[in-house]
Amino acid sequence: MCNLPKSDIDEFTGHQYASSLWDAVVEKYSRRSDSSIMELQHRLYNIPRLSETGDLRQLFKTVCHIRDEFQSIWEPVRPRELLYAMSRALPESYSPTSQSFFAAAKQTKTTADPKAYMATLLDEYEGRHVDVAEKDQSDTVFAAIIPE
């Protein structure tokens, strides 16, 4: 019990007998098996490629959901695996953005972070999908483009 995270210890409080506590622990952690880990890895590495008009946010939700499933069975997923899965599922037109992100990480000798990668891609996605008419016309960039 000493090695359990605080969030899990809280989940196991309130058991009157050691046997009921042990049953609760076994029930929670018995879901982990080689086959369940392989199934999750298969799902992570085989996320379908988005179309050019696909919803990037849905891709991120899928990746985060699979990551959470890994965590629920105490099997950590490495950040590079998440990055790999996301980059494989991106439309080809995101390749320059993706390559720039990884080149910047390499140049600055930092580890590429999945959250930063998602933020970078989301900026690109929103830039592609924002309707120019919806922009605030007081914005100087758009004021130059949109005649009054």
Side-chain angles (χ1 to χ4, degrees):
M1 293 291 290
C2 293
N3 293 330
L4 293 176
K6 182 170 176 17
S7 59
D8 287 350
I9 291 174
D10 293 342
E11 183 178 328
F12 296 124
T13 58
H15 291 275
Q16 187 172 4
Y17 299 103
S19 62
S20 66
L21 171 62
W22 182 250
D23 290 343
V25 170
V26 168
E27 181 181 337
K28 179 172 175 87
Y29 299 112
S30 65
R31 292 179 289 164
R32 179 182 173 161
S33 68
D34 288 342
S35 62
S36 63
I37 292 169
M38 289 177 66
E39 188 269 332
L40 285 172
Q41 287 174 333
H42 177 75
R43 285 181 37 215
L44 182 64
Y45 298 143
N46 292 293
I47 296 172
R49 184 180 289 268
L50 282 178
S51 68
E52 289 297 331
T53 58
D55 187 355
L56 195 60
R57 290 181 196 95
Q58 189 58 46
L59 168 65
F60 296 156
K61 286 180 186 175
T62 300
V63 170
C64 289
H65 179 74
I66 294 171
R67 180 207 58 204
D68 293 345
E69 287 185 59
F70 270 107
Q71 289 175 341
S72 75
I73 60 170
W74 284 59
E75 183 66 25
V77 59
R78 295 180 306 200
R80 92 174 110 197
E81 292 175 285
L82 296 173
L83 293 165
Y84 174 75
M86 284 186 281
S87 63
R88 279 183 45 111
L90 290 173
E92 195 62 38
S93 65
Y94 283 86
S95 185
T97 304
S98 188
Q99 289 173 0
S100 296
F101 176 84
F102 291 116
K106 185 175 182 178
Q107 187 69 25
T108 59
K109 297 179 181 170
T110 58
T111 303
D113 176 51
K115 288 181 184 178
Y117 186 56
M118 285 191 263
T120 301
L121 294 171
L122 196 55
D123 286 345
E124 173 73 18
Y125 174 79
E126 289 173 348
R128 293 178 182 197
H129 293 88
V130 170
D131 185 10
V132 174
E134 293 177 6
K135 277 293 198 180
D136 181 9
Q137 293 198 11
S138 65
D139 185 319
T140 55
V141 174
F142 286 95
I145 298 171
I146 302 171
E148 291 190 29

